[in-house]
Amino acid sequence: MSRTYFRFVPAVLAALGMLLTFSVAAPCADRTPLKALIVDGQNNHAWKDTTPVLKKLLDESKLFQATVITTPPKGGDMSTFRPDFAAYDVIVMNYTGDSWTEEINAAFEKYVRGGGGVVIFHAADNAFPDWKAYNEMIAVGGWENRTTEKSGPSIHYRDGKIVRDTTPRKCGHHGPRQPFLVTNRNTKHPITKGLPKTWMHASDELYDSLCGPAVNLDVLATAYSDPANKGIGENEPMLMTIRYGKGRVFHTALGHDPAAMECVGFISTLLRGTEWAATGKVKQPIPADFPTAGAVSLRK
């Protein structure tokens, strides 16, 4: 064989290696980032701590370009809050507080009904107990004087199916925070497809007794509200999707604070859920450090 042949083969192999490395390591590098709008400004949780984490996670994924809009403080002039929802692919709700104006409510409903994407992050399911459309979008919520009698049934997962519990009760409760096991209930949905059947989530609040209209709801993952930790002894929805008109809503009950948001399970499902809400598909890979049934996985 000629010397030219031996010089040519390594060059070809090197080029192929570079191509394979790029296709695995940067599957989304050629995409134009999706536009995400994070809404904050009021909350019964520390939104000034969690919003920067949400923005960092979205931006660093290279899938999203995140913008933050902050409402006036409690009791402020809400007429100055005028977001252009239509300019974004997905709205990430990190808000619980004063009602918006009727004009902005109508604009939000129009955006979602027309095909917009929404992510309900943790305590955003406490918001707007009297806004009918919002409660249909989130499916279930808690606190803020919600009860099963006026808000809708509590949702549990028993024997492989969703159970609507109309027992009279106040809605919204959690025991002391601790790590807990999350169980994947829908292995075919784009958000949860390929995830482990069970995985350990970092220390967090495990919401239970959430209630609401629960229409067009798909429960993707649950966690057991253990009576040994002051829970109610039911498998409770942690990850959900909801259809509202042509719109897609991803609802995660996880992520009380930055410490809970270090969980790779939270990070991955947040990003996958946000991509699905924006596009109806999930193209990002499952990270190699995703938690297992026996171990929490954290990223500082």
Side-chain angles (χ1 to χ4, degrees), residues 2 8 23 30 45 54 57 83 85 100 110 122 131 139 161 189 224-225 231 255 263 268 282:
S2 69
F8 178 71
S23 66
D30 59 342
H45 288 56
L54 289 171
L57 293 174
F85 297 119
W100 298 344
K110 180 181 178 180
H122 195 58
W131 183 2
K161 61 183 180 181
H189 194 280
Y224 182 63
S225 179
C263 176
S268 180
V282 177

Side-chain angles (χ1 to χ4, degrees), residues 162-180:
I162 295 172
V163 174
R164 289 167 167 79
D165 182 358
T166 58
T167 304
R169 63 158 58 94
K170 291 183 178 180
C171 304
H173 169 266
H174 61 80
R177 60 183 297 167
Q178 64 175 12
F180 53 82

Side-chain angles (χ1 to χ4, degrees), residues 54-187:
L54 289 171
K55 187 176 189 320
K56 179 182 175 68
L57 293 174
L58 293 169
D59 287 343
E60 289 188 349
S61 74
K62 306 300 183 185
L63 288 167
F64 308 97
Q65 182 180 30
T67 300
V68 179
I69 186 168
T70 300
T71 71
K74 186 175 179 60
D77 182 6
M78 199 59 75
S79 67
T80 63
F81 175 64
R82 302 181 64 82
D84 181 10
F85 297 119
Y88 297 90
D89 299 296
V90 62
I91 312 300
V92 180
M93 291 291 292
N94 189 21
Y95 181 86
T96 300
D98 291 348
S99 298
W100 298 344
T101 65
E102 289 299 317
E103 179 185 1
I104 298 303
N105 283 6
F108 189 70
E109 291 177 30
K110 180 181 178 180
Y111 166 81
V112 185
R113 191 183 301 111
V118 178
V119 173
I120 302 299
F121 165 63
H122 195 58
D125 65 18
N126 297 187
F128 308 127
D130 300 317
W131 183 2
K132 182 177 182 291
Y134 185 81
N135 283 277
E136 290 178 359
M137 293 176 200
I138 69 174
V140 289
W143 294 276
E144 299 298 322
N145 297 315
R146 285 180 171 87
T147 65
T148 52
E149 296 96 323
K150 67 179 183 180
S151 303
S154 294
I155 298 299
H156 315 299
Y157 196 90
R158 300 178 194 156
D159 301 321
K161 61 183 180 181
I162 295 172
V163 174
R164 289 167 167 79
D165 182 358
T166 58
T167 304
R169 63 158 58 94
K170 291 183 178 180
C171 304
H173 169 266
H174 61 80
R177 60 183 297 167
Q178 64 175 12
F180 53 82
L181 193 71
V182 176
T183 300
N184 186 357
R185 300 295 184 179
N186 185 340
T187 59

